[in-house]
Amino acid sequence: MSSDSSVKLKQIELLILDVDGVLTDGSIVYSDSGEELKTFNAKDGLGLRLLQDAGIMVSIVTGRRSEALAHRCTNLGISLLYQGVDDKAAALSTILKQTGVTADNTAAMGDDLPDLALLKHIGCAIAVADADEIVRNHADLVTVAKGGAGAVREVCEGILKAQGHWETILEKWL
């Protein structure tokens, strides 16, 4: 990550994530009974847990609704879940009021056009590697990893390193 990105990540108190294309690879799979299935990356999950353990809040804002996502958020201890959101900028306003975090101290990750409304109003806009070109052009940071393939973990580690938490975390595992 560039030094400019590290400066932005050092100030982050809240990370907001889109789901399809960020926490997943963007595929939408249905069972024969019509149930929507999602595949999440376990490394992203550990990154989110480590981030929360370091005191960084995590929120999910998505235009779709999914019971699989609700279960994943419960598993990860993420209570700031907003599903079926048409206006992500309005959701941002609600989240900032609820958490007391400023927009400048907020990062958000997206991959497609509906995420632009959120990304343009926060301190650090992040696009996954395989995001739409317009989204990548509006991002402060573009991940090396693709959505659903470790991009969230990459950002979590970047925030933890920028804020000086990473070495302490590694000591627990080594």
Side-chain angles (χ1 to χ4, degrees):
M1 291 191 186
S2 69
S3 59
D4 185 46
S5 296
S6 290
V7 169
K8 287 184 179 252
L9 295 178
K10 189 173 187 174
Q11 301 174 38
I12 298 307
E13 298 174 22
L14 169 66
L15 175 62
I16 300 174
L17 304 169
D18 177 42
V19 177
D20 297 316
V22 174
L23 278 171
T24 74
D25 67 4
S27 298
I28 299 172
V29 180
Y30 292 98
S31 69
D32 286 343
S33 64
E35 180 182 16
E36 184 175 321
L37 308 173
K38 292 191 180 294
T39 302
F40 299 99
N41 185 299
K43 292 178 184 175
D44 288 346
L46 178 59
L48 291 169
R49 284 184 181 274
L50 295 174
L51 202 64
Q52 291 175 96
D53 288 348
I56 309 299
M57 291 177 271
V58 176
S59 179
I60 307 291
V61 177
T62 179
R64 298 177 54 81
R65 291 190 177 277
S66 165
E67 284 302 312
L69 174 61
H71 291 296
R72 183 66 172 149
C73 287
T74 298
N75 177 259
L76 294 174
I78 298 170
S79 60
L80 298 169
L81 171 60
Y82 298 84
Q83 298 196 71
V85 174
D86 292 326
D87 183 350
K88 291 190 177 188
L92 172 65
S93 179
T94 300
I95 294 165
L96 296 180
K97 286 177 188 167
Q98 184 176 1
T99 62
V101 176
T102 66
D104 288 341
N105 295 100
T106 301
M109 289 182 72
D111 72 307
D112 215 342
L113 301 177
D115 301 318
L116 289 172
L118 174 62
L119 296 177
K120 69 182 185 177
H121 294 292
I122 44 93
C124 186
I126 305 167
V128 295
D130 55 340
D132 182 87
E133 181 179 4
I134 294 170
V135 176
R136 290 193 317 266
N137 289 340
H138 282 85
D140 299 306
L141 175 94
V142 177
T143 64
V144 173
K146 294 179 179 180
V152 171
R153 173 66 172 268
E154 182 181 329
V155 169
C156 291
E157 284 188 22
I159 292 169
L160 293 166
K161 288 174 182 176
Q163 295 186 8
H165 298 294
W166 189 245
E167 292 303 319
T168 304
I169 290 168
L170 287 181
E171 286 175 10
K172 292 190 321 191
W173 298 98
L174 295 175

